[in-house]
Amino acid sequence: MAVDSPWRQARQRAARLLRSPGASRRLAMAAAAKAWRQRDRLGEEAAELRLMAAMLRDWALRRYPEVPWATLVTLAGVLVYFLMPLDAIPDAIIGLGLIDDLALLHRSRRWIGGDLDAYRRWRGEHPDVRDPPTRA
């Protein structure tokens, strides 16, 4: 029996979560909260993770429905992976635990960067849209 990679597991779980708007919103809120708590360790990447969480939340609330399915699965997969305590490098390992999360975040920008930029522009045109809360 082959063992799935943590990234593959995260994408599979993300695809299941996306079937439920409520589950998608909870994922977005949990990821935004963790990014906020880890902002000192994550640096400017915390804002990028919070943007991804906001995009997922706004999609789930049907405020921003123009997101391709492949982008949603990648986006939700990154957030699931970020929340996994035991991924390729466990988060509990001080100094190393978030390296794989950040590497995946950087790689995902190549895959979905255009859609994230479009969402960023949309948010600029809708100043009434707020970020997800910092507590989950």
mmCIF file of all heavy atoms in Angstrom, residues 35 38-51 102 105-106 109 120:
data_model
loop_
_atom_site.group_PDB
_atom_site.id
_atom_site.type_symbol
_atom_site.label_atom_id
_atom_site.label_comp_id
_atom_site.label_asym_id
_atom_site.label_seq_id
_atom_site.Cartn_x
_atom_site.Cartn_y
_atom_site.Cartn_z
ATOM 1 N N ALA A 35 -2.657 31.839 10.742
ATOM 2 C CA ALA A 35 -1.713 32.770 10.103
ATOM 3 C C ALA A 35 -1.502 33.992 10.993
ATOM 4 O O ALA A 35 -0.386 34.503 11.116
ATOM 5 C CB ALA A 35 -2.226 33.191 8.722
ATOM 6 N N GLN A 38 0.672 32.990 13.958
ATOM 7 C CA GLN A 38 2.034 32.679 13.536
ATOM 8 C C GLN A 38 2.688 33.828 12.763
ATOM 9 O O GLN A 38 3.745 33.653 12.164
ATOM 10 C CB GLN A 38 2.028 31.420 12.650
ATOM 11 C CG GLN A 38 1.518 30.184 13.322
ATOM 12 C CD GLN A 38 2.543 29.599 14.264
ATOM 13 O OE1 GLN A 38 3.738 29.773 14.089
ATOM 14 N NE2 GLN A 38 2.077 28.894 15.272
ATOM 15 N N ARG A 39 2.075 35.015 12.790
ATOM 16 C CA ARG A 39 2.554 36.125 11.951
ATOM 17 C C ARG A 39 4.003 36.500 12.213
ATOM 18 O O ARG A 39 4.713 36.898 11.294
ATOM 19 C CB ARG A 39 1.632 37.328 12.066
ATOM 20 C CG ARG A 39 1.616 38.007 13.417
ATOM 21 C CD ARG A 39 0.504 39.051 13.524
ATOM 22 N NE ARG A 39 0.462 39.667 14.824
ATOM 23 C CZ ARG A 39 -0.107 39.151 15.905
ATOM 24 N NH1 ARG A 39 -0.688 37.968 15.816
ATOM 25 N NH2 ARG A 39 -0.092 39.787 17.050
ATOM 26 N N ASP A 40 4.473 36.359 13.447
ATOM 27 C CA ASP A 40 5.876 36.682 13.725
ATOM 28 C C ASP A 40 6.814 35.696 13.041
ATOM 29 O O ASP A 40 7.868 36.088 12.534
ATOM 30 C CB ASP A 40 6.140 36.690 15.234
ATOM 31 C CG ASP A 40 5.429 37.835 15.935
ATOM 32 O OD1 ASP A 40 5.113 38.839 15.259
ATOM 33 O OD2 ASP A 40 5.175 37.715 17.147
ATOM 34 N N ARG A 41 6.439 34.433 13.005
ATOM 35 C CA ARG A 41 7.255 33.406 12.341
ATOM 36 C C ARG A 41 7.095 33.444 10.828
ATOM 37 O O ARG A 41 8.025 33.117 10.088
ATOM 38 C CB ARG A 41 6.887 32.013 12.856
ATOM 39 C CG ARG A 41 7.317 31.780 14.290
ATOM 40 C CD ARG A 41 6.893 30.430 14.803
ATOM 41 N NE ARG A 41 7.538 29.343 14.087
ATOM 42 C CZ ARG A 41 7.109 28.090 14.118
ATOM 43 N NH1 ARG A 41 6.044 27.762 14.820
ATOM 44 N NH2 ARG A 41 7.746 27.158 13.441
ATOM 45 N N LEU A 42 5.915 33.827 10.355
ATOM 46 C CA LEU A 42 5.624 33.810 8.921
ATOM 47 C C LEU A 42 6.048 35.079 8.197
ATOM 48 O O LEU A 42 6.221 35.066 6.979
ATOM 49 C CB LEU A 42 4.125 33.598 8.695
ATOM 50 C CG LEU A 42 3.565 32.241 9.067
ATOM 51 C CD1 LEU A 42 2.038 32.287 9.089
ATOM 52 C CD2 LEU A 42 4.060 31.171 8.102
ATOM 53 N N GLY A 43 6.155 36.169 8.913
ATOM 54 C CA GLY A 43 6.496 37.436 8.272
ATOM 55 C C GLY A 43 5.395 37.868 7.319
ATOM 56 O O GLY A 43 4.204 37.693 7.588
ATOM 57 N N GLU A 44 5.800 38.403 6.178
ATOM 58 C CA GLU A 44 4.823 38.916 5.212
ATOM 59 C C GLU A 44 3.972 37.813 4.590
ATOM 60 O O GLU A 44 2.924 38.086 4.011
ATOM 61 C CB GLU A 44 5.510 39.727 4.129
ATOM 62 C CG GLU A 44 6.496 38.940 3.307
ATOM 63 C CD GLU A 44 7.318 39.804 2.379
ATOM 64 O OE1 GLU A 44 7.811 40.845 2.827
ATOM 65 O OE2 GLU A 44 7.452 39.425 1.210
ATOM 66 N N GLU A 45 4.403 36.568 4.727
ATOM 67 C CA GLU A 45 3.623 35.460 4.166
ATOM 68 C C GLU A 45 2.312 35.265 4.926
ATOM 69 O O GLU A 45 1.370 34.687 4.395
ATOM 70 C CB GLU A 45 4.440 34.164 4.178
ATOM 71 C CG GLU A 45 5.777 34.262 3.480
ATOM 72 C CD GLU A 45 5.676 34.749 2.048
ATOM 73 O OE1 GLU A 45 4.622 34.607 1.404
ATOM 74 O OE2 GLU A 45 6.682 35.270 1.541
ATOM 75 N N ALA A 46 2.249 35.737 6.162
ATOM 76 C CA ALA A 46 0.996 35.653 6.921
ATOM 77 C C ALA A 46 -0.110 36.404 6.185
ATOM 78 O O ALA A 46 -1.251 35.928 6.119
ATOM 79 C CB ALA A 46 1.183 36.214 8.330
ATOM 80 N N ALA A 47 0.210 37.543 5.626
ATOM 81 C CA ALA A 47 -0.788 38.326 4.889
ATOM 82 C C ALA A 47 -1.249 37.577 3.639
ATOM 83 O O ALA A 47 -2.433 37.624 3.282
ATOM 84 C CB ALA A 47 -0.218 39.695 4.516
ATOM 85 N N GLU A 48 -0.329 36.875 2.989
ATOM 86 C CA GLU A 48 -0.697 36.111 1.791
ATOM 87 C C GLU A 48 -1.629 34.953 2.151
ATOM 88 O O GLU A 48 -2.610 34.693 1.460
ATOM 89 C CB GLU A 48 0.563 35.588 1.105
ATOM 90 C CG GLU A 48 0.333 35.041 -0.266
ATOM 91 C CD GLU A 48 0.093 36.105 -1.325
ATOM 92 O OE1 GLU A 48 0.231 37.311 -1.054
ATOM 93 O OE2 GLU A 48 -0.265 35.718 -2.439
ATOM 94 N N LEU A 49 -1.342 34.272 3.249
ATOM 95 C CA LEU A 49 -2.221 33.196 3.699
ATOM 96 C C LEU A 49 -3.588 33.740 4.094
ATOM 97 O O LEU A 49 -4.617 33.128 3.802
ATOM 98 C CB LEU A 49 -1.582 32.446 4.866
ATOM 99 C CG LEU A 49 -0.471 31.487 4.466
ATOM 100 C CD1 LEU A 49 0.377 31.112 5.674
ATOM 101 C CD2 LEU A 49 -1.042 30.238 3.804
ATOM 102 N N ARG A 50 -3.605 34.893 4.731
ATOM 103 C CA ARG A 50 -4.881 35.506 5.111
ATOM 104 C C ARG A 50 -5.666 35.946 3.865
ATOM 105 O O ARG A 50 -6.891 35.866 3.842
ATOM 106 C CB ARG A 50 -4.661 36.658 6.077
ATOM 107 C CG ARG A 50 -4.221 36.139 7.463
ATOM 108 C CD ARG A 50 -4.006 37.210 8.488
ATOM 109 N NE ARG A 50 -5.099 38.143 8.633
ATOM 110 C CZ ARG A 50 -6.249 37.893 9.290
ATOM 111 N NH1 ARG A 50 -6.427 36.732 9.858
ATOM 112 N NH2 ARG A 50 -7.175 38.820 9.372
ATOM 113 N N LEU A 51 -4.969 36.377 2.823
ATOM 114 C CA LEU A 51 -5.641 36.720 1.570
ATOM 115 C C LEU A 51 -6.269 35.469 0.957
ATOM 116 O O LEU A 51 -7.412 35.504 0.483
ATOM 117 C CB LEU A 51 -4.661 37.364 0.585
ATOM 118 C CG LEU A 51 -5.260 37.739 -0.767
ATOM 119 C CD1 LEU A 51 -6.205 38.931 -0.617
ATOM 120 C CD2 LEU A 51 -4.164 38.052 -1.770
ATOM 121 N N LEU A 102 5.770 27.224 3.756
ATOM 122 C CA LEU A 102 6.149 28.409 2.976
ATOM 123 C C LEU A 102 6.575 28.029 1.563
ATOM 124 O O LEU A 102 6.267 28.747 0.608
ATOM 125 C CB LEU A 102 7.251 29.182 3.690
ATOM 126 C CG LEU A 102 6.832 29.792 5.031
ATOM 127 C CD1 LEU A 102 8.035 30.435 5.722
ATOM 128 C CD2 LEU A 102 5.710 30.788 4.850
ATOM 129 N N LEU A 105 3.445 27.455 -0.297
ATOM 130 C CA LEU A 105 2.814 28.742 -0.565
ATOM 131 C C LEU A 105 3.460 29.416 -1.775
ATOM 132 O O LEU A 105 2.767 29.899 -2.675
ATOM 133 C CB LEU A 105 2.904 29.648 0.664
ATOM 134 C CG LEU A 105 2.360 31.060 0.519
ATOM 135 C CD1 LEU A 105 0.866 31.036 0.226
ATOM 136 C CD2 LEU A 105 2.644 31.860 1.773
ATOM 137 N N HIS A 106 4.780 29.416 -1.824
ATOM 138 C CA HIS A 106 5.486 30.037 -2.955
ATOM 139 C C HIS A 106 5.176 29.307 -4.254
ATOM 140 O O HIS A 106 4.952 29.943 -5.291
ATOM 141 C CB HIS A 106 6.995 30.069 -2.698
ATOM 142 C CG HIS A 106 7.394 31.108 -1.709
ATOM 143 N ND1 HIS A 106 7.504 32.435 -2.033
ATOM 144 C CD2 HIS A 106 7.678 31.021 -0.388
ATOM 145 C CE1 HIS A 106 7.849 33.125 -0.960
ATOM 146 N NE2 HIS A 106 7.957 32.286 0.059
ATOM 147 N N ARG A 109 1.704 30.086 -5.638
ATOM 148 C CA ARG A 109 1.578 31.394 -6.302
ATOM 149 C C ARG A 109 1.783 31.271 -7.802
ATOM 150 O O ARG A 109 1.157 31.985 -8.581
ATOM 151 C CB ARG A 109 2.597 32.376 -5.733
ATOM 152 C CG ARG A 109 2.177 32.963 -4.443
ATOM 153 C CD ARG A 109 3.094 34.138 -4.121
ATOM 154 N NE ARG A 109 2.946 34.495 -2.736
ATOM 155 C CZ ARG A 109 3.948 34.635 -1.891
ATOM 156 N NH1 ARG A 109 5.182 34.462 -2.288
ATOM 157 N NH2 ARG A 109 3.723 34.967 -0.647
ATOM 158 N N ARG A 120 -7.454 40.188 -5.373
ATOM 159 C CA ARG A 120 -6.911 41.368 -4.683
ATOM 160 C C ARG A 120 -7.496 42.644 -5.289
ATOM 161 O O ARG A 120 -7.881 43.569 -4.572
ATOM 162 C CB ARG A 120 -5.384 41.361 -4.776
ATOM 163 C CG ARG A 120 -4.700 42.347 -3.868
ATOM 164 C CD ARG A 120 -3.181 42.239 -3.956
ATOM 165 N NE ARG A 120 -2.690 41.143 -3.139
ATOM 166 C CZ ARG A 120 -2.071 40.054 -3.603
ATOM 167 N NH1 ARG A 120 -1.859 39.900 -4.883
ATOM 168 N NH2 ARG A 120 -1.652 39.122 -2.789
#
